[in-house]
Amino acid sequence: MCGKQFQNHRRNNRLEKTIWKQYVYQRQTIRQLAVKYKRGKNWIRAHLFNVPVKEQRHIPQSIVAIADVTFSKRDFGVCMIRAPHLKKNIYAQEVQTESVDAYEQGGINLAKRGYTIKAIVLDGRPGVRQLFWDVPIQMCHFHQKQIITRYLTNNPKLEASLEFKKITDALCKTNERDFTAAINHWHQKWSFFLKERTTDLLTGGSTRTKDFAPLIEA
């Protein structure tokens, strides 16, 4: 009888860890897990609650931080700050929206724990950069590429667009000097093309080359 109870307890532990992994790392919602295991939401919550979470040990030090907010559904996200050289997340907080306040609270929390941010990587959200005005800031490469793709699409047609996309595709594999040189060369090569304007026959107004107008104005 005791042996069976021990086996059941061990099986429950494995199940709880599996559910935790799916919830935390695979971003499965409680609703999705409830459907998957054919159980109620409270059953899922109970299993998540039973998983022991090891408390992190925080050693006061200077760090380079990576901050971002990730959403698993429209009104549920997590503001995460990671120290890549420590290979761990050092701050996490549930949020309903990606706001400046969410990042500010993260910075305050880290300061209380003895961390000093010497540089930070952000997603470029307006207002957040001002919070960290006194340290070097780099915009996340992933978000930079997302912005460019939003304007050029994944399948640009114009030759200039194709060349520009090729340069940005190498963003994560190059250094600042070579990337800047490639962008400058591209601007020089396509300078006349970028200055072209199209006249709207209905309004009489004119606009710059469609694909690159937002990038030129920026």
Side-chain angles (χ1 to χ4, degrees), residues 172-184:
C172 301
K173 305 174 184 178
T174 187
N175 55 52
E176 180 182 359
R177 183 194 62 188
D178 293 342
F179 185 76
T180 301
I183 289 292
N184 289 338

Side-chain angles (χ1 to χ4, degrees), residues 57-199:
R57 181 186 177 192
H58 296 276
I59 302 175
Q61 58 188 294
S62 296
I63 62 167
V64 173
I66 299 175
D68 195 14
V69 174
T70 302
F71 285 88
S72 57
K73 57 182 182 179
R74 180 175 297 180
D75 59 349
F76 178 81
V78 177
C79 179
M80 189 79 68
I81 300 180
R82 182 173 181 81
H85 69 288
L86 297 178
K87 297 182 180 180
K88 66 178 182 180
N89 302 323
I90 55 178
Y91 174 79
Q93 180 62 48
E94 294 181 8
V95 296
Q96 291 183 325
T97 61
E98 185 176 5
S99 64
V100 175
D101 181 66
Y103 290 95
E104 184 176 19
Q105 292 304 315
I108 293 172
N109 181 279
L110 294 185
K112 288 181 178 179
R113 296 184 180 186
Y115 291 103
T116 300
I117 297 177
K118 61 182 181 181
I120 189 166
V121 178
L122 299 169
D123 67 358
R125 176 165 290 274
V128 178
R129 296 174 68 92
Q130 282 70 25
L131 292 176
F132 305 97
W133 61 270
D134 56 342
V135 299
I137 297 174
Q138 177 178 303
M139 185 176 178
C140 170
H141 286 170
F142 173 76
H143 286 91
Q144 289 184 49
K145 294 178 71 172
Q146 275 191 320
I147 291 172
I148 295 170
T149 300
R150 187 161 66 242
Y151 293 126
L152 301 184
T153 74
N154 283 317
N155 297 294
K157 307 299 181 184
L158 300 175
E159 186 179 352
S161 304
L162 292 169
E163 287 192 16
F164 195 86
K165 187 176 185 301
K166 185 176 180 180
I167 293 172
T168 57
D169 284 344
L171 179 60
C172 301
K173 305 174 184 178
T174 187
N175 55 52
E176 180 182 359
R177 183 194 62 188
D178 293 342
F179 185 76
T180 301
I183 289 292
N184 289 338
H185 175 74
W186 179 87
H187 269 283
Q188 292 174 1
K189 178 179 179 179
W190 297 101
S191 60
F192 289 104
F193 171 75
L194 296 174
K195 293 176 183 177
E196 290 180 0
R197 304 184 73 89
T198 301
T199 301

